[in-house]
Amino acid sequence: MGSNEMVMVPEIKHTKLFINGEFVDAASGKTFETRDPRTGDVLAHIAEADKADVDLAVGAAREAFEHGKWPRMSGYERGRAMHKLADLMEQHTEELAALDGADAGKLLLLGKIIDIPAAVQMLRYYAGAADKIHGESLRVSGKYQGYTLKEPIGVVGIIIPWNFPSLMFFLKISPALAAGCTVVVKPAEQTPLSALYYAHLAKLAGIPDGVINVVPGFGPTAGAAIASHMDVDSVAFTGSGEVGRLIMEASARSNLKTVSLELGGKSPLIIFDDADVDMAVELSRLAIFFNKGEVCVAGSRVYVQEGIYDEFVKKAVVAAQNWKVGDPFDVATNMGPQVDKEQFERVLRYIEHGKSEGATLLTGGKRAGDKGYYIEPTIFADVKEDMKIAQDEIFGPVMSLMKFKTVDEAIEKANCTKYGLAAGIITKNLDIANRVSRSVRAGTVWVNCYFAFDPEAPFGGYKMSGFGRDQGMMAIDKYMQVKSVITAVPDSPW
Ligand code: NAD
């Protein structure tokens, strides 16, 4: 593991709630700590939103929606403001990557070349989409004509996790803003810093007050207040399945707001005998160890066909051992610390489960170093489908390796999960690739690649990985109502 002497902390300028275009203290005056996972030290004290603050934020968003300019501007004008925000993000890429790096233990270098540029791309995609939202004309029967109007749904509550603080923020707010909605965002309590910075940039970009509100705080207080609010029209959530259920219950018990859920995954990566083994090893390493395995689409179950299994295992172990764990601000590092103490301990508990359930620990399996929340890249072999490490989302750098013989067996095993977020296939055989792509019950399938994300490609889950899609033009529909307008045409010639 690299030395922690690298530790640098970016300047933290925004620590208060952002409501109606102003940074304000919490009504209670309370704050909470956000910590640096490299050391466990406190990074900043952040104003802690609770129900009273959520009420104020929803009130501001409602006012901006009912009486403000945003929903009434042309799509073109909304798009221009969004592009301006994207320009400002580009000017502050370094600072934003450093904030996520210190808050979430993410690699600074990847923040600069992946996280922040991807967030910008997401925002620009929907900025361009804002003036391309159309209804349909309807050839209704009889002496009538009809058309559909697409209208913004209203105030959108957004609750997001900590693993991609910047990307999650823009994945959710961009289509909502394009649609003409106003938003109240609760970032994860572990990673509030970049969201507050984006609020500041949105103000500079001229996005009107009340359109974007940011209320950091905890789930059972601030998050629950959003989910059960009578004046929130829709909630977009990314996070765990347990909390996803609570969000649906809160909707059912309050105003039946629409809900979209992006939940966890236990994604299979299936490697067939004809694969280039070196390429397969590289992709499988990336699929599970990228972002320390804190990725909802992590390729955590790796199925390898028997013909190349032994060679794959040998090479995968070496590859894992060469994956450098260390300070995420060091350019030589491949993997930083887990986001916080809770996740760190949770992952280590799963590793213990793996050992006690009889899986073979090939490499890793313990904490790295003695400070911060670092874990060694870990590989288990001889994993059985019914083991906890094959079924539960670990959300850490733990690969479960399994052997298979036939294509049918691979499909059956890949689908042997309650999740259905993503899957990967490595083969040169087009027929196998096509067949498996169609047979795997998952929202995204990558063939001979992994993590190939693009704003154009709808993203979301089958089964207990949730419902609703982010990305693509269809994400805008989550934030719109469709109204049918039927007009009598008494003198119709038809
Ligand atoms: P979590 O569900 O505990 O937290 C996610 C968000 O929900 C946080 O902002 C949290 O404060 C909030 N929250 C918690 N309790 C709440 C409540 N009672 N009411 C309203 N909001 C509440 O998830 P986590 O453990 O922090 O994050 C990791 C999980 O998120 C993993 O299971 C992972 O699979 C999932 N995840 C899914 C995706 C995806 O796109 N499908 C992406 C990233 C993470």
Side-chain angles (χ1 to χ4, degrees):
M1 215 193 88
S3 103
N4 274 347
E5 276 157 32
M6 283 291 302
V7 172
M8 292 174 286
V9 176
E11 189 190 347
I12 293 164
K13 298 174 185 153
H14 304 291
T15 58
K16 296 189 179 190
L17 316 180
F18 188 75
I19 298 177
N20 207 20
E22 303 294 335
F23 283 103
V24 294
D25 288 320
S28 65
K30 282 207 270 183
T31 60
F32 67 98
E33 294 165 344
T34 185
R35 287 177 183 269
D36 187 331
R38 295 172 294 173
T39 55
D41 296 343
V42 174
L43 266 178
H45 292 87
I46 306 292
E48 181 186 332
D50 203 335
K51 187 174 178 314
D53 310 286
V54 168
D55 283 345
L56 288 175
V58 172
R62 175 56 60 192
E63 177 61 23
F65 183 72
E66 299 298 340
H67 303 114
K69 295 193 285 194
W70 189 254
R72 288 159 195 86
M73 284 159 87
S74 66
Y76 172 68
E77 285 177 286
R78 275 201 302 278
R80 276 175 57 127
M82 292 164 72
H83 274 305
K84 207 157 169 196
L85 172 55
D87 292 342
L88 291 171
M89 289 165 67
E90 282 172 339
Q91 288 163 25
H92 294 88
T93 296
E94 182 102 15
E95 204 173 343
L96 289 163
L99 284 178
D100 280 350
D103 218 7
K106 296 177 71 76
L107 299 193
L108 179 67
L109 178 66
L110 292 194
K112 287 194 276 191
I113 62 172
I114 298 182
D115 290 61
I116 308 302
V120 167
Q121 194 188 353
M122 195 68 65
L123 183 58
R124 291 200 190 283
Y125 174 84
Y126 288 105
D131 59 3
K132 296 166 193 69
I133 299 169
H134 314 287
E136 294 173 307
S137 69
L138 309 171
R139 174 78 168 89
V140 286
S141 49
K143 291 190 179 287
Y144 301 96
Q145 67 184 16
Y147 62 91
T148 57
L149 271 179
K150 285 199 173 176
E151 299 176 347
I153 200 163
V155 175
V156 178
I158 290 171
I159 302 174
I160 47 177
W162 39 261
N163 56 344
F164 289 87
S166 293
L167 196 50
M168 287 291 159
F169 188 86
F170 286 97
L171 187 71
K172 302 291 190 196
I173 76 161
S174 307
L177 293 182
C181 294
T182 59
V183 301
V184 175
V185 186
K186 195 202 83 61
E189 53 273 30
Q190 296 88 344
T191 54
L193 297 180
S194 55
L196 292 172
Y197 201 104
Y198 292 125
H200 158 71
L201 294 183
K203 177 131 183 148
L204 292 184
I207 294 181
D209 293 350
V211 172
I212 299 175
N213 304 275
V214 181
V215 286
F218 293 94
T221 49
I226 292 174
S228 58
H229 206 288
M230 291 300 289
D231 211 19
V232 169
D233 298 293
S234 184
V235 170
F237 172 77
T238 293
S240 62
E242 302 78 59
V243 176
R245 281 177 200 273
L246 295 177
I247 305 267
M248 284 193 80
E249 282 173 20
S251 163
R253 294 217 172 90
S254 56
N255 62 343
L256 292 170
K257 57 181 69 61
T258 61
V259 172
S260 58
L261 302 178
E262 301 280 357
L263 308 175
K266 191 75 190 174
S267 300
L269 173 59
I270 312 167
I271 302 166
F272 290 91
D273 274 345
D274 66 355
D276 173 333
V277 176
D278 293 324
M279 176 268 221
V281 166
E282 196 48 49
L283 267 187
S284 65
R285 172 167 82 165
L286 186 73
I288 187 63
F289 300 137
F290 171 68
N291 206 49
K292 347 134 203 178
E294 291 172 349
V295 187
C296 50
V297 289
S300 47
R301 292 183 295 142
V302 178
Y303 292 98
V304 184
Q305 202 162 13
E306 58 183 358
I308 55 168
Y309 183 85
D310 292 341
E311 183 189 355
F312 179 92
V313 169
K314 267 194 218 116
K315 290 183 168 171
V317 167
V318 174
Q321 289 165 350
N322 291 335
W323 191 250
K324 193 163 172 284
V325 180
D327 189 308
F329 281 50
D330 181 344
V331 289
T333 296
N334 297 120
M335 189 166 93
Q338 307 309 124
V339 73
D340 63 9
K341 189 161 183 274
E342 194 181 327
Q343 289 295 323
F344 170 75
E345 288 172 351
R346 187 168 170 260
V347 175
L348 290 176
R349 274 199 304 277
Y350 272 112
I351 291 174
E352 291 313 309
H353 272 299
K355 292 180 195 163
S356 63
E357 282 179 311
T360 308
L361 179 66
L362 294 180
T363 185
K366 56 184 190 312
R367 106 180 273 180
D370 52 12
K371 191 177 175 200
Y373 309 130
Y374 296 88
I375 295 180
E376 292 176 347
T378 296
I379 303 183
F380 280 106
D382 307 316
V383 179
K384 303 274 176 303
E385 269 63 41
D386 58 357
M387 289 182 183
K388 222 170 159 47
I389 58 166
Q391 286 299 325
D392 290 6
E393 180 176 52
I394 299 177
F395 228 57
V398 183
M399 181 193 288
S400 289
L401 259 178
M402 287 155 278
K403 197 194 295 192
F404 70 91
K405 287 195 171 78
T406 65
V407 177
D408 283 338
E409 187 189 347
I411 292 169
E412 196 188 318
K413 289 186 162 169
N415 283 332
C416 182
T417 166
K418 64 183 178 193
Y419 293 114
L421 198 54
I425 302 165
I426 306 183
T427 179
K428 297 188 190 100
N429 184 320
L430 191 61
D431 293 335
I432 292 180
N434 285 335
R435 176 158 163 232
V436 180
S437 301
R438 291 181 180 209
S439 304
V440 171
R441 294 182 40 76
T444 297
V445 177
W446 287 298
V447 182
N448 294 329
C449 57
Y450 210 84
F451 294 142
F453 274 104
D454 193 280
E456 283 184 51
F459 171 70
Y462 281 38
K463 302 199 268 183
M464 287 175 69
S465 291
F467 52 84
R469 292 290 180 268
D470 287 322
Q471 303 192 146
M473 291 299 284
M474 66 189 296
I476 296 175
D477 290 334
K478 290 200 296 195
Y479 305 111
M480 308 222 68
Q481 289 284 15
V482 179
K483 179 180 283 174
S484 290
V485 180
I486 312 287
T487 310
V489 187
D491 295 331
S492 172
W494 309 318

